[in-house]
Amino acid sequence: QTAITYQPQQLICLDTSGYIARVINQTDADYAAVRQAAQANATLTTLRPDQYVLPGFIDLHIHAPQWPNAGLALDRPLNEWLDTYTFPLEAKYQDLDFAKLVYNDLVQELLANGTTTALYFGTIHNAANLELAKACIKHGQRGFIGKVAMDNPEQTPDYYQDASAQVAVDQTEQFIQQVGELNQTTDLKQTPVITPRFVPSCTPASLQGLGDLARKYDLPVQSHCSESDWENGYALEHYQMRDADVLDHYGLLTNKAVMAHGTQLNDHDYELFAKQGVAIAHCPISNVYFGNAVLPVKRVLAHHVKTGLGTDISGGYSPSLYQNIRQAVMSSRLLQDGVDNQLPTNQRGVSDSAISVKTAFYLATLGGAKSLHLQTGKIAAGYLADLQVVSLKNAFQADDADNIFEKLMYQTSQAEIEQVYVRGERVK
Ligand code: GUN
Ligand code: FE
C-alpha cells in the first residue's frame, strides 16, 4: 500500500463502456501515432502541465440524510447525538421535496470533491431513498444505497422507526426491487444495500430477516460495528456476545459487508473479518468525536482486513475524502506518539502505528474499491474510468513525483479539482 507510480504525459485510452482500455507511456512505440489519431478525430483531451490525473475516490461510509447537520453537535456522545440531532433530522425525509433538495445537493458536492462512488445510508423511507438513487443517476455518481432498518422500540423514537421487524425486512426487500426497476432506465447502475443501522437499533428478528435477505440476494451489507464504548457494551449486555459476533450470528458478516468505524474491534474481531472477507470503513474525522479510540489502521491491514475510507457525514463534518486522508495520517501519528508529555517519548502511544499519506490514499481508492468488489481506484487497463483531474496549488519549484503527490494530498481543495469522470463520463 505504499507504491504510487507517476507517469508524465501518459495517454489514458477509454473504451465506449467506461473502462480504461489502455494506458500508453511516452516511451511506448505507438505513443505518437495513437496521440495523433486521437487528435485527428477530436477525442484527445489534453491537460496543462500543473494538472494531474488521479483515480476517483470512494466514500465507504456516509449518511446522506445527515448532510444538513454536517458540522453540528460534535460535542455530544453518540447516543445522545442520535436522539437529539440525528433522528429528528432523518425523520424529515418523509417529505420528498426536502429529500430531493438535500440529495441533489449532496451528490453534486461529493462529485465536486472527487468522490466518484459512495456507499450511502439513507433513511427508513423508501420513497426518499429512491430520490437519492435518482440523484446519483442524474448527476452521474455510482451509488450504493441502503434503506436503514431500525425496529427496536427501546432504542429508536416512536416518530422514527420501522413499525416491526417484518416491516423493516419487507421494506428492505421492496427497496431492492425498486432499485432494480430504476436500473432498467440507466447504464450507471445503483446498488441496493442491506442496512441494519447497528445492533442496538435492531431486534434479533430484524437482524435475522436481513441476514436472510443478504443470502437470498447476494447483496452488500452495511452497518456500524464497535464504533463506541456504548455500542460495544450494548452487545455484550444484551447478547452476551461481542458486537461483531452478534452480526455474524445473524449472517450479516459476508464478504460483501462493510462495517463502519470498528475502533473498538479486537484481534479476535479482525480475524473474523479477515476470514469472512468483511471490510472496515475507516472514518478518521468522525472517530475523533464519536469513536472513543483511534482505529489502528496498520494493525488492521496487517490482519489482512479490507479497509477503505469514509466521511461518515455528519459524525464527520467534512464531505471531502482529502480531509479524511489528512486526518487518517494525523490520527495515526497521535496514536503512535501518544499525547502525555509527562512520559518519556519511548513510553508514549502505540509503537509502529503511523501510516503514510500513500496508505491513506490507498484507503480512499483501491481499499474502498476492493471492499465493494469494484474494478476501480487505479489508473490501469481494465479498470473503470473513474478519474479526477486536480491542479497543484503551490508549484514554485521542481518537485519530484513523490513530493508532488504529497502536496496534492495536502493542498487540494474543491477549487483544484477541475474535472471529474465516472465511467468515462464527465460529471464536473
Ligand atoms: N451509529 C448508529 N447510527 C449512527 C449514525 O448515524 N452515525 C454514527 N456515526 N454512528 C451511528
Ligand atoms: Fe455512521
Side-chain angles (χ1 to χ4, degrees):
Q1 290 100 26
T2 52
I4 303 284
T5 55
Y6 163 78
Q7 293 290 346
Q9 299 294 323
Q10 201 171 41
L11 290 176
I12 303 171
C13 308
L14 312 189
D15 67 19
T16 51
S17 53
Y19 283 83
I20 298 169
R22 233 192 118 185
V23 287
I24 307 179
N25 294 325
Q26 255 180 326
T27 48
D28 290 342
D30 58 349
Y31 181 89
V34 173
R35 194 188 157 100
Q36 247 165 29
Q39 197 153 29
N41 66 15
T43 56
L44 183 71
T45 304
T46 54
L47 300 179
R48 302 190 310 267
D50 67 327
Q51 288 180 313
Y52 298 85
V53 187
L54 300 172
F57 288 154
I58 293 145
D59 189 337
L60 202 58
H61 181 63
I62 176 166
H63 298 264
Q66 296 175 19
W67 174 222
N69 271 357
L72 193 65
L74 296 164
D75 54 340
R76 302 289 189 102
L78 179 64
N79 53 336
E80 203 179 306
W81 172 87
L82 286 172
D83 285 336
T84 316
Y85 291 93
T86 306
F87 293 156
L89 173 59
E90 291 193 14
K92 288 189 191 164
Y93 288 77
Q94 65 205 60
D95 175 352
L96 278 191
D97 288 333
F98 185 64
K100 280 184 209 173
L101 186 71
V102 175
Y103 289 161
N104 279 291
D105 186 77
L106 174 64
V107 171
Q108 292 175 88
E109 175 79 20
L110 294 183
L111 286 169
N113 277 290
T115 300
T116 47
T117 299
L119 173 54
Y120 289 108
F121 273 58
T123 61
I124 65 170
H125 319 96
N126 277 347
N129 297 330
L130 267 182
E131 291 302 328
L132 177 55
K134 286 180 193 164
C136 289
I137 292 168
K138 179 172 175 191
H139 303 292
Q141 190 183 49
R142 185 178 303 102
F144 288 70
I145 301 163
K147 173 254 177 304
V148 171
M150 43 192 286
D151 66 315
N152 182 0
E154 277 163 28
Q155 293 295 333
T156 55
D158 294 344
Y159 64 84
Y160 186 55
Q161 62 185 205
D162 291 307
S164 66
Q166 197 62 47
V167 169
V169 175
D170 287 350
Q171 294 285 299
T172 300
E173 191 157 23
Q174 181 199 56
F175 186 60
I176 293 168
Q177 257 118 39
Q178 288 172 329
V179 174
E181 283 159 27
L182 187 63
N183 278 339
Q184 315 266 307
T185 66
T186 175
D187 287 336
L188 186 58
K189 306 297 181 204
Q190 307 296 312
T191 307
V193 181
I194 291 155
T195 308
R197 182 169 204 120
F198 65 160
V199 165
S201 295
C202 293
T203 58
S206 66
L207 293 173
Q208 181 69 57
L210 295 169
D212 292 344
L213 285 187
R215 187 162 349 98
K216 178 172 170 191
Y217 290 98
D218 190 27
L219 280 170
V221 176
Q222 62 180 342
S223 191
H224 298 86
C225 187
S226 284
E227 171 181 9
S228 63
D229 287 325
W230 179 79
E231 176 186 353
N232 218 36
Y234 183 95
L236 286 173
E237 188 186 329
H238 290 80
Y239 291 87
Q240 291 77 50
M241 273 190 257
R242 291 187 56 74
D243 205 16
D245 289 325
V246 176
L247 293 163
D248 187 38
H249 176 79
Y250 291 108
L252 291 158
L253 292 192
T254 68
N255 82 339
K256 291 187 180 171
V258 177
M259 294 293 132
H261 306 286
T263 46
Q264 312 288 319
L265 297 172
N266 64 17
D267 282 353
H268 156 85
D269 302 323
Y270 299 151
E271 276 154 34
L272 177 64
F273 277 32
K275 184 173 93 188
Q276 319 264 83
V278 178
I280 295 175
H282 177 34
C283 306
I285 293 181
S286 173
N287 289 345
V288 171
Y289 299 99
F290 300 106
N292 302 139
V294 178
L295 183 78
V297 173
K298 257 196 162 169
R299 190 164 179 161
V300 169
L301 292 175
H303 278 86
H304 306 288
V305 176
K306 289 183 271 179
T307 314
L309 206 58
T311 59
D312 191 33
I313 283 195
S314 63
Y317 60 80
S318 172
S320 162
L321 281 172
Y322 284 94
Q323 295 274 33
N324 278 279
I325 284 172
R326 293 162 204 158
Q327 187 65 52
V329 174
M330 290 192 282
S331 293
S332 76
R333 297 182 72 102
L334 290 174
L335 179 63
Q336 172 157 316
D337 292 332
V339 287
D340 187 348
N341 70 344
Q342 304 299 304
L343 289 171
T345 316
N346 63 358
Q347 287 171 31
R348 291 181 213 154
V350 182
S351 63
D352 195 28
S353 291
I355 61 166
S356 68
V357 71
K358 290 180 180 175
T359 297
F361 175 76
Y362 165 86
L363 298 181
T365 54
L366 264 186
K370 286 182 179 167
S371 303
L372 293 173
H373 301 260
L374 286 176
Q375 193 75 0
T376 189
K378 187 173 170 174
I379 301 174
Y383 282 76
L384 284 158
D386 300 339
L387 305 166
Q388 49 180 324
V389 177
V390 298
S391 56
L392 180 60
K393 205 168 182 162
N394 49 344
F396 298 105
Q397 62 210 17
D399 292 309
D400 69 16
D402 271 0
N403 290 351
I404 290 168
F405 171 76
E406 195 169 357
K407 282 165 65 172
L408 286 174
M409 291 303 110
Y410 281 100
Q411 295 305 328
T412 299
S413 67
Q414 245 195 67
E416 285 74 46
I417 304 171
E418 298 189 33
Q419 303 174 21
V420 178
Y421 298 83
V422 177
R423 292 177 86 243
E425 297 285 338
R426 181 136 179 208
V427 295
K428 178 183 182 181

